[in-house]
Structure formats: structure tokens, C-alpha cells
Amino acid sequence: GVAPDALTGKLLRDLPWDVLAADGETPLPPADRPSQRVLHTGVGEDGLVMCLRRRDGSRVWVSASAQPLERDAEAVRSVLITFSDVTAERRSLEALQRSEALLQNVVGTAMDAVITADSGHRIVLFNAAAERIFGYAATEAIGQPLAMLVPEEKRKDHPGQVERFAARGGPRQDGTMQTLVPARRKDGTRFPADLSVATMVHDGKRMFTAVVRDATARVEAEQALKTANATLDRRVRTRTMELEQANRELEAFSYSVSHDLRAPLRAMHGFASLLRDHLGAAADDEARRLLSRILAGTERMGRLIDDVLRYSRLTRVEITRTDVDVDRLAGEVAAELHEAYPRTAIVLHPLGHAQADAAMLRQILQNLMGNGCKYSADAAAPAVHVGATRDGTRVEYWVRDNGVGFSMD
């Protein structure tokens, strides 16, 4: 940064820069500078790196070479000094050193074990996580065979497995580990490990780097999940079998009701009717009351049997969802019930449309509205109301009557 004419005739101590050591900070004593060393020893110096700090504060690194130029019998009288600018190389070296320091810090603080082995499968790098996972100090592991980290019965085949595994490549693109392998700690305990192995060439020699993660927690969680799934599957199968058995029993009971109970029920109703007709006007009030109760009871029992049979059929019908006009469907059911219960006022509030199985919805309405009519029949003014309550996309249908009701307890 200085013209040659500005330097000619100057003493070295008057030159417009400060001479520093290679670190760029420490002043270089005059006795350690190339010119003084050659003047003192009479021997040339080559490749001495030092830093020149200009007056503006900028720094330049140079490699200096100093050779005796003139000498007499007593000493060297002049020295030839040449400088080569090595600033770029110095900057690159510093960047490389920073990168290596960063890499060492990353490897040293990684949560996974990072282990590097040479072409002979001997450990050359063993980070802090590897010490924690395997229980060996780095000083114990470095220089030892990589196979010391696997169970004894696996050690013979281990070198070949590493070669084959590395040939398949490193981690997959999703970042997951390549495989699950058995590993061994210093105390002899074993544990499952997620392993990824990659190869590289360093100084012309092939090396292996393994990333190892203790998979104990994951494997135990997976096993617990499998056990839970198996238990759930068994429970579902058991519950399904119980439900199927219950359905079969219900079906058998329905047929029993249909074929076994209807015959005596019809006989009771028939005999009671014959007795009422036979007695005619001769029957007193108490006899007529008792016969009416018998006939009403058999009719009510017949309706209960019909309800049970309809319910059993509901469990066997396949559900087919369609758009159902619930107002129209409820109106049809109300018309049918009006014939059996002419005194009952069936009031239909707006019901709208629903995605449902039309046949099943009709059966539900028949059951609920029919029950309402049945149990309000003795009221002074029997009435059954059918309506819907909407809450956003949810619709709740309801049937209310003014019958005797029943306790929710």
C-alpha cells in the first residue's frame, strides 16, 4: 500500500506499518524479524509468516524470505528480503479452522452418538453422546475395534455387515435411520439402536461414520402399542361375538314370541270374547268390567309383541341413507294412527328434511308416536306433539304426549 519511492532510504523502524506475529495481534520483537535474525546468525530464513498492520488499521499477511546479500569477515552487512502476500491463504485457513471448530462443537454436543472408524474398523472419533450411550470414555474407545459396541455373538460378522450397510448409503431423505440393530454397553447390557452408516474418503483412506441413537424408549413404546392393539382387538372380537350372540338370542326370542306366545294369547282373547257374547245382558257390571280388562290386556300384549318383532327386524335391516321429507313421513304415520286413536290430536310441528334411512325412520316414528297415542288415550283430551330442535347442523327430533308418563329413575 506504499509507493517504492516512499520507502527508499528509510530505516526499517520508520516504515509505515507495524510488524506483528502471525496471529495478527502480538507485536513481533525486532530480534525475531527476518532481517535481524539473518544479520545475527548469518543464515538465511525462508517462509516466516508475519502480519503487517498499515496505518489505516488494515492487515496484510506475508511470507518473508531473508538471505545474506553482503558480508565481510566480521558479519553480514546487508540482507535481501522478499515478501509474498499470503492474506487470502491466511483468511482461508482461518475460515477452515473456524469451520472445524464449529464441526467439533456440533459433533460434541449432538444428542446422537457419532462414531468414526478407519478402514480397519478401528474407532478414531467418539463424541460425548457416544460416551453417554455406550458408557465408554473416548480415551477408552479410540483405537479399539468398532465391533466392541455390538453383542459378542455379532462381532465376527460385524465388519462385513458394516461394509454392506455402508454400501447401501446413508440416511434416507426423510432423515430417519436406516435400520434397527442390537448394541452393547460397556457394562454388558444390550439395547436396540437406530443406526445410520456413511462412508467417506479422508487423506486417500476410506472411513466410516456411524450415527447411533438409543431406541429403547421407542421400541418399548411400539411394543406397548402392539400389546394395547392386540388387547383391543381381542376385546373387540369378544364384544362382537357377544353382540352376535345377543342378536341370535333376540332373534330366537322374537320367533318364540311370534310362534309360542301368540297362540295362547289368541285363545285368551277368543274365550273372553265368547264368554262376553254368551253372557250378553245377563252379565253384571263387575263381569263386564273384568272381561273388558282381559280383552284390553290381550290386545295390549299383542301390540307389545308386534313392537318386539319390529325392533328385532330393525337390527337386521341394512341402513340406506337418503334425503327424507320428515314432514311428509310423519304425516303418513299420523294418518295411520288416527284410525286407531280417533280421539287423539296429533300435532306436527315443522320437521324439515333429514339424511336417514326412510324405512327405519318410519318405524321409529310409528313406535314413538304410537306409544304417545297409547299412553295418553285415557287423558281427557289426548294429544301427541312431534317436532324438531335445531342447533347449528345438528337436529334433534322429539315426541311428547300428555299421558301418565313414567319416572326417569
Side-chain angles (χ1 to χ4, degrees):
V2 181
D5 292 345
L7 301 178
T8 303
K10 296 282 188 180
L11 295 175
L12 289 178
R13 64 174 178 270
D14 296 329
L15 295 179
W17 55 67
D18 298 321
V19 181
L20 308 175
D23 62 8
E25 297 295 337
T26 307
L28 188 64
D32 292 335
R33 298 175 185 178
S35 58
Q36 295 300 316
R37 291 164 65 96
V38 172
L39 289 173
H40 178 71
T41 64
V43 179
E45 297 274 352
D46 288 310
L48 178 63
V49 177
M50 56 187 183
C51 178
L52 305 180
R53 182 173 59 196
R54 302 188 183 104
R55 293 293 180 255
D56 61 5
S58 62
R59 288 171 170 78
V60 176
W61 276 263
V62 296
S63 176
S65 175
Q67 300 295 330
L69 185 61
E70 294 179 334
R71 70 171 70 215
D72 55 24
E74 296 180 0
V76 175
R77 297 302 180 183
S78 62
V79 179
L80 175 63
I81 305 174
T82 58
F83 297 95
S84 297
D85 189 342
V86 294
T87 303
E89 291 87 341
R90 184 70 184 185
R91 302 288 189 196
S92 298
L93 177 60
E94 289 177 348
L96 178 61
Q97 291 172 340
R98 287 194 298 271
S99 178
E100 289 177 345
L102 176 61
L103 177 61
Q104 288 295 327
N105 190 42
V106 169
V107 171
T109 58
M111 296 301 295
D112 294 333
V114 179
I115 304 167
T116 299
D118 59 21
S119 57
H121 299 178
R122 291 193 172 274
I123 299 171
V124 296
L125 184 146
F126 203 76
N127 74 340
E131 293 181 316
R132 172 175 51 81
I133 291 173
F134 287 95
Y136 290 98
T139 53
E140 295 178 288
I142 291 176
Q144 298 300 316
L146 192 60
M148 68 182 289
L149 305 178
V150 301
E152 291 85 347
E153 68 273 12
K154 302 288 185 180
R155 293 179 180 178
K156 181 179 179 181
D157 299 329
H158 186 258
Q161 290 175 346
V162 172
E163 295 281 354
R164 290 190 297 272
F165 188 67
R168 296 204 302 267
R172 296 194 293 267
Q173 291 183 354
D174 61 4
T176 59
M177 295 296 182
Q178 286 289 312
T179 192
L180 186 69
V181 298
R184 180 184 181 277
R185 299 185 181 91
K186 180 180 179 180
D187 61 7
T189 58
R190 302 184 182 196
F191 65 97
D194 286 320
L195 173 67
S196 174
V197 178
T199 60
M200 63 179 177
V201 177
H202 180 69
D203 288 340
K205 298 178 181 179
R206 189 172 62 150
M207 307 189 78
F208 302 91
T209 294
V211 178
V212 182
R213 177 176 300 169
D214 187 343
T216 302
R218 178 177 64 80
V219 171
E220 289 177 350
E222 289 176 353
Q223 185 59 48
L225 181 60
K226 289 179 181 178
T227 302
N229 287 339
T231 302
L232 178 61
D233 186 58
R234 286 195 299 272
R235 289 179 178 175
V236 169
R237 288 199 301 269
T238 301
R239 184 58 177 159
T240 301
M241 292 173 62
E242 292 174 350
L243 290 174
E244 290 174 349
Q245 179 63 26
N247 285 336
R248 286 193 294 269
E249 292 174 356
L250 177 61
E251 185 175 359
F253 173 73
S254 300
Y255 283 116
S256 176
V257 167
S258 176
H259 295 288
D260 298 338
L261 296 184
R262 280 188 183 277
L265 193 61
R266 283 194 298 267
M268 291 173 60
H269 189 277
F271 288 138
S273 297
L274 288 173
L275 182 59
R276 181 187 61 184
D277 295 341
H278 178 72
L279 293 176
D284 59 18
D285 292 341
E286 180 65 13
R288 283 194 295 271
R289 186 182 69 81
L290 293 175
L291 287 172
S292 296
R293 289 189 63 181
I294 292 172
L295 291 172
T298 56
E299 291 171 358
R300 186 162 54 251
M301 187 64 181
R303 289 194 296 269
L304 289 173
I305 291 173
D306 291 338
D307 289 342
V308 170
L309 291 175
R310 279 195 295 269
Y311 177 75
S312 68
R313 286 194 294 271
L314 281 177
T315 62
R316 300 194 298 270
V317 175
E318 182 179 354
I319 296 177
T320 304
R321 293 181 183 273
T322 59
D323 182 72
V324 179
D325 185 344
V326 185
D327 290 299
R328 181 183 60 79
L329 193 62
E332 294 173 357
V333 174
E336 296 171 1
L337 291 172
H338 183 68
E339 296 178 2
Y341 302 95
R343 292 183 58 247
T344 302
I346 301 178
V347 182
L348 301 180
H349 300 272
L351 300 172
H353 288 242
Q355 291 293 318
D357 185 294
M360 287 190 174
L361 186 56
R362 171 184 282 275
Q363 188 66 57
I364 292 171
L365 289 173
Q366 285 177 335
N367 291 347
L368 294 177
M369 293 169 66
N371 285 339
C373 291
K374 182 191 309 180
Y375 295 110
S376 64
D378 295 334
V384 175
H385 291 257
V386 183
T389 302
R390 288 172 171 78
D391 182 11
T393 59
R394 176 184 173 85
V395 180
E396 181 180 289
Y397 294 97
W398 48 263
V399 177
R400 298 171 184 159
D401 63 75
N402 61 348
V404 296
F406 58 90
S407 175
M408 295 299 290
D409 298 332

